[in-house]
Amino acid sequence: MGQVENIAAPPGHAPEPRLHDPCAERGAAGELLHPGRGGLDVFLAGTVFMDMIFTGLPGLPPPGTELITDGLGSAPGGIANIAVAMSRLGLNVGLAAAFGDDMFGAYLWRTLSEQEGVGLEHSRRLPGWPTPVTVSLAYDADRSMVTYHRPMPMMPEELITAPPAARTCFLDIDHPVPDWAWDMRDQGTTVVADVGWDSTETWSSDVLDRLDQVDVFLPNAIEAMAYTRTSTPELALEALSERVPVVVVKRGGDGAIAIDRTTGERAEASALPVEALDPTGAGDVFGAGFVYGTLARWPLLERLRFANLCAGLSVRHHSGSLGSPCWGDIAAFGESGELPEEILRDYAFLVPYIPDAAPINVTRAEPTVRGAW
């Protein structure tokens, strides 16, 4: 996770915060993926939230009661979940997002740009607009959430006049695909899309119609079945594969299934056998791992295994986006002996991608808003 250090200051003066990169090996990781690379690996647009994550809860508070807990983390959320996860794997990430001009907005901007290495050249802080906030109550390996979000003066997509060159573009197709994404695809960019929960539960067919401009689609099982009006994840996968070249259906603890029509591959991969403490953002971390595997041109099964590995490592921490794994976490897990040798062999394909600089002894600090504005 990220770490903020307050440097001692004279009495009456605020300490100067310094942000430390928790994944110092990310540059070396990017060089292993694309030697002598240039330009963006991924370009994203969306809304950044301030995530406040309460942990250690004995249950959810009934009306009129108060619960005291010993755990509270804070981290960039929303589109930042996947932006951070991708950057920590060594991908060169550009983000177009609107930020509030309050304390939370300043924290989010600094954390993403200075600590996590996410490019914000297409982002902007909007005067007078408050940062969206989501409070997550992590309990019994699941979570309940409450969100505050005022209408935005302008959508993140409006910040983009001329999109940058990028190998992939990541979209949320809850909304129509923007013109700049069509332009990027025409220039050879691979368009990867996810979809959010439909709070109306109408599951409009308009979403499926947008898949004509998508190369890779990564819904979870509930979303996939709801949009396709099917009764199993397998049937949903088949239906979606008729619309999109590459489809992955995420099944949480049951792993993931996928079809790649461009290669004729079908694959199923089990979830990592770890204790899940907080699933916040796990689907986004999965997506980051799958995009990395796509850029590495791995076979479909290896893409799924790596995505499951990244997601599985993230849910072991109460942290949201700042629990996304670095290559040091991946290397440390491989050396930990937690997996039997016969399972560990399935991940041997990762060895050439682990930088020599990746630390085996990973030190984590709790994410916090302290001093980061």
Side-chain angles (χ1 to χ4, degrees), residues 1-4 55 72-74 318-319 322 364-368 370:
M1 292 175 220
Q3 184 175 2
V4 178
T55 64
L72 171 63
S74 50
H318 294 299
S319 52
L322 300 189
R364 291 183 172 270
E366 287 300 316
T368 176
R370 181 178 61 249

Side-chain angles (χ1 to χ4, degrees), residues 340-364:
E341 185 63 32
E342 59 270 20
I343 295 180
L344 199 59
R345 281 196 294 268
D346 291 339
Y347 299 92
F349 68 93
L350 293 176
V351 173
Y353 295 86
I354 299 176
D356 292 336
I360 296 298
N361 297 317
V362 178
T363 302
R364 291 183 172 270

Side-chain angles (χ1 to χ4, degrees), residues 50-57 69 71-76 81 134-138 143 278 280-281 317-323 366-367:
M50 182 69 203
D51 278 358
M52 308 291 289
I53 305 160
F54 286 89
T55 64
L57 296 170
T69 183
L72 171 63
S74 50
N81 283 326
T134 292
V135 174
S136 178
L137 305 177
R143 82 280 196 208
D278 177 13
T280 304
H317 307 282
H318 294 299
S319 52
S321 65
L322 300 189
E366 287 300 316

Side-chain angles (χ1 to χ4, degrees), residues 107-194:
Y107 161 77
L108 295 172
W109 186 284
R110 285 203 61 192
T111 299
L112 290 174
S113 62
E114 297 179 33
Q115 174 177 293
E116 298 298 337
V118 175
L120 299 181
E121 289 80 5
H122 290 268
S123 295
R124 188 183 308 170
R125 296 188 68 182
L126 303 181
W129 182 63
T131 298
V133 177
T134 292
V135 174
S136 178
L137 305 177
Y139 166 67
D140 195 24
D142 209 332
R143 82 280 196 208
S144 299
M145 294 180 287
V146 179
T147 293
Y148 166 79
H149 188 191
R150 299 282 295 174
M152 302 177 68
M154 62 187 307
M155 299 302 292
E157 290 79 6
E158 298 175 49
L159 300 172
I160 305 163
T161 53
R167 296 177 176 89
T168 59
C169 170
F170 194 91
L171 300 174
D172 185 328
I173 57 167
D174 290 334
H175 307 289
V177 176
D179 291 342
W180 54 262
W182 291 54
D183 294 339
M184 292 183 74
R185 193 171 189 242
D186 289 342
Q187 296 300 315
T189 297
T190 299
V191 176
V192 183
D194 205 339

Side-chain angles (χ1 to χ4, degrees), residues 36-354:
R37 65 177 180 165
L40 292 177
D41 290 308
V42 191
F43 183 65
L44 311 92
T47 303
V48 177
F49 287 73
M50 182 69 203
D51 278 358
M52 308 291 289
I53 305 160
F54 286 89
T55 64
L57 296 170
L60 299 180
T65 67
E66 179 182 11
L67 286 180
I68 304 297
T69 183
D70 59 1
L72 171 63
S74 50
I79 193 66
N81 283 326
I82 194 162
V84 168
M86 290 173 169
S87 179
R88 288 191 169 195
L89 293 176
L91 300 183
N92 191 4
V93 179
L95 172 64
F99 290 75
D101 67 348
D102 49 16
M103 180 187 75
F104 286 158
Y107 161 77
L108 295 172
W109 186 284
R110 285 203 61 192
T111 299
L112 290 174
S113 62
E114 297 179 33
Q115 174 177 293
E116 298 298 337
V118 175
L120 299 181
E121 289 80 5
H122 290 268
S123 295
R124 188 183 308 170
R125 296 188 68 182
L126 303 181
W129 182 63
T131 298
V133 177
T134 292
V135 174
S136 178
L137 305 177
Y139 166 67
D140 195 24
D142 209 332
R143 82 280 196 208
S144 299
M145 294 180 287
V146 179
T147 293
Y148 166 79
H149 188 191
R150 299 282 295 174
M152 302 177 68
M154 62 187 307
M155 299 302 292
E157 290 79 6
E158 298 175 49
L159 300 172
I160 305 163
T161 53
R167 296 177 176 89
T168 59
C169 170
F170 194 91
L171 300 174
D172 185 328
I173 57 167
D174 290 334
H175 307 289
V177 176
D179 291 342
W180 54 262
W182 291 54
D183 294 339
M184 292 183 74
R185 193 171 189 242
D186 289 342
Q187 296 300 315
T189 297
T190 299
V191 176
V192 183
D194 205 339
V195 66
W197 177 259
D198 182 0
S199 58
T200 69
E201 298 191 32
T202 57
W203 311 104
S204 171
S205 60
D206 290 346
V207 169
L208 297 184
D209 293 338
R210 295 168 193 149
L211 294 177
D212 291 341
Q213 285 297 316
V214 170
D215 300 298
V216 181
F217 187 39
L218 306 169
N220 66 36
I222 294 175
E223 295 157 351
M225 291 187 292
Y227 280 115
T228 58
R229 274 64 172 175
T230 53
S231 56
T232 68
E234 292 75 17
L235 290 174
L237 178 68
E238 295 290 341
L240 290 171
S241 70
E242 296 177 3
R243 295 174 175 265
V244 189
V246 181
V247 179
V248 179
V249 175
K250 299 172 289 189
R251 301 181 299 175
D254 292 326
I257 52 178
I259 293 176
D260 185 339
R261 282 197 290 106
T262 66
T263 62
E265 295 172 281
R266 292 171 176 261
E268 177 176 358
S270 301
L272 198 68
V274 297
E275 180 184 0
L277 297 180
D278 177 13
T280 304
D284 294 319
V285 178
F286 179 101
F290 195 84
V291 168
Y292 184 97
T294 299
L295 290 169
R297 302 184 183 278
W298 292 337
L300 183 60
L301 180 57
E302 292 182 356
R303 282 176 269 167
L304 286 187
R305 283 175 172 165
F306 184 61
N308 280 333
L309 174 65
C310 293
L313 292 179
S314 76
V315 302
R316 304 199 304 173
H317 307 282
H318 294 299
S319 52
S321 65
L322 300 189
S324 302
C326 308
W327 281 102
D329 300 286
I330 295 168
F333 184 75
E335 296 288 335
S336 68
E338 294 183 51
L339 290 182
E341 185 63 32
E342 59 270 20
I343 295 180
L344 199 59
R345 281 196 294 268
D346 291 339
Y347 299 92
F349 68 93
L350 293 176
V351 173
Y353 295 86
I354 299 176

